[in-house]
Amino acid sequence: MDAIEVNRRIPFSAMFNFRDVGGYPGHDGRTVRWGRLYRSDSPHRLDGADLEAFTALGIRTVIDLRRPSEVERDGRVPEQDGLAYRHIHPEHVDWGERPYRQGEDLPRYLADRYADLADTGAAGLAEAVGLIADETNAPVLVHCVAGKDRTGLVCGLTLAALGVSDAEIAADYALSTEAAARFQAWFASTGQQMRAGLPPLTTPATAMTLFLTELRQRYGTVADYLRRAGLTDAQLTALREHLLE
């Protein structure tokens, strides 16, 4: 494994998909800053040494993309002085209403679900990217339940707006597959069972590539999509000024 990828992953005992989104090449040969944007699965289980390690990162803002029912079920990141909590629910159909069927083309299924979310949840996705664009909120952690789908879209759109290539964005998205294996091992140890109809907890790079390609076919550019969703040109400029070095 590449040393950069090892450094990208930040280990916790009760979070399984926490990593830094920095280091990718973007616009004009500039690089996405390290230590400004993190992504993860839900941090509601943080405690003890994990909470101390989290606090040491200096995160100022947590963006929680889960459904209200998921927040109510599991709870939220522990409250801390200086930590702002923002709950944004990008509206989308519950996947149970469009279940994954064994043997179905997984990248195609995921890309279609992401396209649906980009339509119905556009305002929420743009709001999340807008918060990331505001330097006063940084460092920012964005998360959902497993940190792969809703989180993957917000981080993918952010990186695309920063000029990161689709190949790099898809590779970052695909890193969640390994994390999912750790999450599943932990989940099984609790005696709980996954809901029927959910797709495998893997993140094939092709799913993100399909999503970004087809989003551009519909909207022109990712920046055009974000503008239509409610992001301003000033916010897009701030995003690049803040997150690119």
Side-chain angles (χ1 to χ4, degrees), residues 13-16 41-48 50-51 74-78 145 183 186:
S13 63
M15 280 194 296
F16 310 97
D41 50 319
S42 179
H44 70 274
R45 296 180 295 270
L46 283 172
D47 196 9
D50 272 357
L51 186 56
D74 294 331
R76 45 153 286 182
V77 65
V145 174
F183 175 81
W186 168 82

Side-chain angles (χ1 to χ4, degrees), residues 79-101:
E79 293 188 28
Q80 293 182 294
D81 290 341
L83 181 66
Y85 172 78
R86 300 293 295 268
H87 179 224
I88 299 172
H89 171 219
E91 296 285 343
H92 60 290
V93 172
D94 189 295
W95 287 25
E97 297 182 30
R98 296 178 184 174
Y100 175 79
R101 293 173 174 80

Side-chain angles (χ1 to χ4, degrees), residues 16 178-192 194 201:
F16 310 97
E178 183 201 359
R182 295 193 297 273
F183 175 81
Q184 285 180 298
W186 168 82
F187 192 81
S189 74
T190 68
Q192 302 177 72
M194 293 288 183
L201 290 182

Side-chain angles (χ1 to χ4, degrees), residues 3-244:
I4 290 178
E5 297 310 320
V6 171
N7 292 333
R8 183 178 303 288
R9 303 169 191 270
I10 301 173
F12 291 89
S13 63
M15 280 194 296
F16 310 97
N17 200 10
F18 194 106
R19 59 185 189 268
D20 196 320
V21 186
Y24 294 115
H27 281 294
D28 301 326
R30 300 165 71 189
T31 302
V32 180
R33 295 181 190 275
W34 291 98
R36 311 304 285 169
L37 176 60
Y38 299 97
R39 57 179 293 172
S40 77
D41 50 319
S42 179
H44 70 274
R45 296 180 295 270
L46 283 172
D47 196 9
D50 272 357
L51 186 56
E52 291 178 9
F54 177 82
T55 302
L57 293 172
I59 291 170
R60 291 182 185 172
T61 307
V62 171
I63 301 173
D64 184 346
L65 302 172
R66 295 174 298 164
R67 294 179 180 277
S69 60
E70 292 168 331
V71 179
E72 183 177 355
R73 179 191 68 199
D74 294 331
R76 45 153 286 182
V77 65
E79 293 188 28
Q80 293 182 294
D81 290 341
L83 181 66
Y85 172 78
R86 300 293 295 268
H87 179 224
I88 299 172
H89 171 219
E91 296 285 343
H92 60 290
V93 172
D94 189 295
W95 287 25
E97 297 182 30
R98 296 178 184 174
Y100 175 79
R101 293 173 174 80
Q102 190 170 2
E104 192 172 353
D105 182 335
L106 181 60
R108 180 71 271 164
Y109 173 85
L110 290 171
D112 288 344
R113 299 291 74 73
Y114 297 162
D116 291 343
L117 197 159
D119 284 344
T120 60
L125 295 174
E127 183 182 357
V129 177
L131 288 173
I132 293 167
D134 185 344
E135 185 173 6
T136 64
N137 292 327
V140 171
L141 169 66
V142 57
H143 78 88
C144 51
V145 174
K148 70 183 191 71
D149 299 311
R150 290 163 287 192
T151 299
L153 256 62
V154 168
C155 290
L157 293 169
T158 298
L159 291 173
L162 293 172
V164 177
S165 72
D166 285 6
E168 294 275 20
I169 295 169
D172 181 81
Y173 164 81
L175 292 175
S176 289
T177 292
E178 183 201 359
R182 295 193 297 273
F183 175 81
Q184 285 180 298
W186 168 82
F187 192 81
S189 74
T190 68
Q192 302 177 72
Q193 292 188 335
M194 293 288 183
R195 269 194 317 163
L198 290 178
L201 290 182
T202 57
T203 48
T206 307
M208 181 57 67
T209 304
L210 279 170
F211 166 72
L212 290 171
T213 298
E214 293 168 1
L215 189 78
R216 291 193 187 94
Q217 288 170 355
R218 295 182 63 191
Y219 295 99
T221 67
V222 170
D224 289 336
Y225 164 77
L226 289 170
R227 289 187 189 96
R228 288 188 60 171
L231 214 65
T232 66
D233 284 334
Q235 286 175 304
L236 286 166
T237 298
L239 183 74
R240 293 175 184 175
E241 290 301 314
H242 160 43
L243 279 178
L244 291 173

